[in-house]
Amino acid sequence: MEKAKMTVDKDFTIGVVDKRLYGSFIEHLGRAVYGGIYEPGHPSANEQGFRTDVLEMVKELNVPIVRYPGGNFVSGYNWEDSVGPVSERKRRLELAWRTIETNEFGFNEFVDWAKQANSEVMMAVNLGTRGTDAARNIVEYSNHPEGSYYSDLRIKHGYKQPHAIKTWCLGNEMDGPWQIGHKTADEYGRLAVEAAKVMKWTDPTIELVACGSSNLNMPSFPEWEATVLDHTYDHVEYLSLHQYYGNQEQDTPTFLARSLEMDRFIDTVKATCDYIKAKKRSKKTMYLSFDEWNVWYHSNENDSKMDPWQIAPPQLEDIYNHEDALLVGCMLISMLKHADRVKMACLAQLVNVIAPIMTDTSGGSWRQTIFYPFMHTSLFGRGTALVPLIQSPKYDTKQITDVPYLEAIAVHNEEQGEVTVFAVNRHLEESLPLEVDLRSFGKCTVIEHIVLESDDLKASNTAAQPNRVAPHNRGGAVVSDTLITASLAKASWNVIRLKVQ
């Protein structure tokens, strides 16, 4: 096969990678909370009922921020139901996912869990059924030191110190007809800017995320973004993007090319933001929060048969295979290629619900295939993303043309003296010879070449076979002066870590 070439230069940078790019998401949906992060009585549960086996795997992923409590759930969320004595909390019909929400696990419990997971909280406010008053009140409860009704209520609930949550989402997917309290762009923009004002008057140190389109195929995209930003541009720091992909047609070459659509999605949102920046004669740059992204389709049929009004039923429990891990790797590379503007992202979700971590009712837990590319980029993708100049053989599908077999990026961690190359070989039948020119770095040595590969694209990890698809470090990359040579196995995810001398 024709070889691929990649050239990177330490002076040709995309931008500093914000650690929050490796965030995740916990929604009150399915078994993400109950039976996922929280299960009193489980052998591993600590005194607060948090599963420590799950906590340890979350720590392996090094997740810096977790979005909560939704998602669609937040558009019917009364935050007051989830605080105070558990015995006094209300059970509610949860209309987004048609379940019963017990509120046994609530806002303060999540803050405690996030601290134990070494994560910050990205908190969402309800702009579906509620609005400015509830938004300012939860910020007061969370962040005001003392001496006001809601801050003193937090203290009464056992939390003397403020939670100091700095990142807040102004609702969720408000362009979607499925959303509780769905709004037009003008309706949402007006509500979002008024909520933003009172939230920042309550705590001027917070940062806010406005809702972008629910996905790139929404009929109102990107006009929604332009209209919402017309209202909110001066009051928010981020605009959200959401996107999921599936392989319902069992067309793997097209499936693995979907990250090119993700690139175009990000570029279109950036352009829309910059149009509003120009329109307003603003000096402020709008950053992006890709706060829902993943593969999601395996569980759709089972979910359609689910009986309503259960407590924590097994919803959205995709069991991921090897090809899913390859696309997740490509999507992570896409976000790194836009590290100048995409500053936060949330893999949706973290446990059980379209998640890298799974638990079962018998008490076990395991890492799904997608766990590994996410973990590798979170651990080794810190630093500065470098412009990748790539020459690669290409292929065409019925839907997407000129798809490079090589998808790759390099990140320079100057503090650690390391350069890491992340690369996917999209070819399903042949290995891909690769040369990476690191001419500006001087001599380098290979620390390790990690590979995730499988002869079976549909191979999955399960409770019975938790390591069926797992990475190894026998990749075989070598360096001669400043030139890396490697053979990327067919349909593989690769992490080539280099020490800069």
Side-chain angles (χ1 to χ4, degrees):
M1 185 178 178
E2 182 185 347
K3 68 182 176 184
K5 298 180 180 179
M6 177 179 175
T7 303
V8 293
D9 189 298
K10 64 182 177 182
D11 292 326
F12 288 81
T13 63
I14 297 169
V16 174
V17 179
D18 192 311
K19 68 178 183 179
R20 296 173 298 174
L21 195 70
Y22 306 115
S24 193
F25 179 26
I26 287 288
E27 182 171 359
H28 281 252
L29 162 59
R31 297 189 309 118
V33 174
Y34 306 109
I37 65 174
Y38 175 78
E39 190 175 353
H42 186 272
S44 78
N46 62 20
E47 66 281 358
Q48 289 184 272
F50 304 155
R51 283 187 61 156
T52 58
D53 60 336
V54 172
L55 271 170
E56 290 309 308
M57 282 190 277
V58 173
K59 290 177 183 177
E60 284 181 45
L61 293 174
N62 196 13
V63 178
I65 194 165
V66 182
R67 183 168 170 247
Y68 177 84
N72 294 347
F73 173 85
V74 79
S75 292
Y77 175 59
N78 295 329
W79 70 267
E80 302 91 338
D81 291 347
S82 75
V83 298
V86 174
S87 61
E88 297 176 12
R89 297 182 190 176
K90 300 172 183 176
R91 287 190 171 208
R92 295 281 193 183
L93 293 183
E94 203 292 285
L95 300 182
W97 302 105
R98 303 192 76 213
T99 61
I100 298 291
E101 175 52 53
T102 67
N103 284 304
E104 177 185 349
F105 182 99
F107 178 35
N108 291 321
E109 286 84 5
F110 183 76
V111 171
D112 288 342
W113 179 87
K115 288 177 181 176
Q116 294 184 34
N118 299 327
S119 295
E120 298 174 8
V121 176
M122 178 193 291
M123 190 70 191
V125 299
N126 177 358
L127 295 188
T129 60
R130 307 189 76 181
T132 55
D133 202 40
R136 68 166 179 162
N137 291 344
I138 191 173
V139 174
E140 179 184 325
Y141 180 92
S142 172
N143 289 7
H144 195 70
E146 60 183 344
S148 67
Y149 175 79
Y150 284 107
S151 61
D152 288 347
L153 185 62
R154 182 198 68 244
I155 294 170
K156 181 182 177 181
H157 292 161
Y159 295 84
K160 172 65 176 173
Q161 296 302 315
H163 295 325
I165 295 172
K166 296 304 178 187
T167 310
W168 297 77
C169 299
L170 297 170
N172 173 75
E173 293 187 357
M174 300 309 300
D175 63 327
W178 59 85
Q179 200 69 207
I180 301 169
H182 163 63
K183 292 171 174 61
T184 67
D186 272 315
E187 289 170 341
Y188 169 71
R190 284 289 302 125
L191 178 59
V193 73
E194 293 305 317
K197 284 159 57 178
V198 296
M199 291 168 75
K200 285 192 171 181
W201 289 343
T202 303
D203 182 353
T205 70
I206 62 175
E207 292 187 319
L208 300 177
V209 184
C211 288
S213 295
S214 301
N215 60 74
L216 60 83
N217 296 316
M218 295 298 290
S220 56
F221 174 76
E223 183 58 36
W224 171 276
E225 279 76 0
T227 302
V228 167
L229 288 175
D230 238 348
H231 291 288
T232 63
Y233 198 92
D234 294 333
H235 297 272
V236 304
E237 285 69 39
Y238 304 91
L239 183 69
S240 74
L241 299 83
H242 291 179
Q243 187 64 39
Y244 299 95
Y245 293 111
N247 190 14
Q248 293 89 340
E249 296 80 17
Q250 299 304 310
D251 178 358
T252 300
T254 298
F255 178 61
L256 296 183
R258 292 297 182 193
S259 61
L260 302 186
E261 292 183 353
M262 187 175 183
D263 287 334
R264 290 193 289 272
F265 183 24
I266 295 170
D267 288 338
T268 302
V269 175
K270 283 169 52 179
T272 307
C273 292
D274 291 344
Y275 159 66
I276 300 299
K277 177 180 181 178
K279 181 180 177 181
K280 291 183 173 290
R281 278 59 168 177
S282 176
K283 295 181 179 179
K284 171 183 173 180
T285 297
M286 185 63 58
Y287 292 107
L288 308 182
S289 174
F290 216 125
D291 48 42
E292 285 190 35
W293 68 273
N294 205 343
V295 172
W296 173 19
Y297 76 102
H298 296 283
S299 59
N300 293 161
E301 185 176 350
N302 285 339
D303 290 341
S304 68
K305 302 172 183 176
M306 189 81 60
D307 290 332
W309 315 127
Q310 300 180 61
I311 297 173
Q315 293 170 293
L316 280 68
E317 295 202 0
D318 276 35
I319 300 300
Y320 290 114
N321 58 36
H322 178 61
E323 68 182 14
D324 298 329
L326 298 181
L327 181 59
V328 164
C330 289
M331 295 173 80
L332 285 158
I333 290 170
S334 288
M335 286 186 284
L336 285 169
K337 288 192 296 186
H338 295 89
D340 57 331
R341 296 294 287 274
V342 180
K343 293 299 183 181
M344 296 191 293
C346 300
L347 176 68
Q349 295 187 18
L350 188 54
V351 185
N352 288 332
V353 176
I354 49 174
I357 298 168
M358 288 298 297
T359 71
D360 61 26
T361 54
S362 64
S365 57
W366 69 96
R367 299 160 187 81
Q368 294 232 61
T369 60
I370 67 170
F371 183 98
Y372 297 108
F374 186 84
M375 178 183 71
H376 294 151
T377 48
S378 178
L379 294 180
F380 307 125
R382 312 286 178 114
T384 301
L386 304 176
V387 176
L389 300 178
I390 291 176
Q391 297 172 270
S392 171
K394 298 178 180 180
Y395 68 94
D396 294 336
T397 75
K398 293 178 182 178
Q399 300 180 40
I400 306 172
T401 59
D402 295 317
V403 182
Y405 282 113
L406 175 68
E407 186 65 79
I409 192 76
V411 177
H412 178 208
N413 189 325
E414 189 171 10
E415 184 178 343
Q416 298 293 327
E418 293 184 13
V419 175
T420 300
V421 175
F422 302 100
V424 172
N425 176 11
R426 289 189 174 102
H427 203 295
L428 303 182
E429 297 173 355
E430 296 182 27
S431 60
L432 177 63
L434 172 65
E435 289 184 355
V436 182
D437 189 337
L438 297 169
R439 64 187 69 182
S440 66
F441 285 97
K443 289 188 176 182
C444 301
T445 57
V446 176
I447 300 171
E448 61 179 341
H449 177 180
I450 303 168
V451 183
L452 185 68
E453 59 180 330
S454 175
D455 287 332
D456 183 0
L457 290 170
K458 305 300 183 181
S460 297
N461 295 337
T462 63
Q465 292 182 294
N467 299 309
R468 186 181 179 194
V469 182
H472 63 77
N473 62 358
R474 304 183 303 275
V478 296
V479 177
S480 176
D481 290 327
T482 62
L483 187 68
I484 308 170
T485 56
S487 178
L488 307 184
K490 66 178 183 180
S492 64
W493 161 258
N494 298 263
V495 183
I496 303 172
R497 298 179 58 215
L498 302 147
K499 190 70 177 178
V500 180
Q501 296 181 351

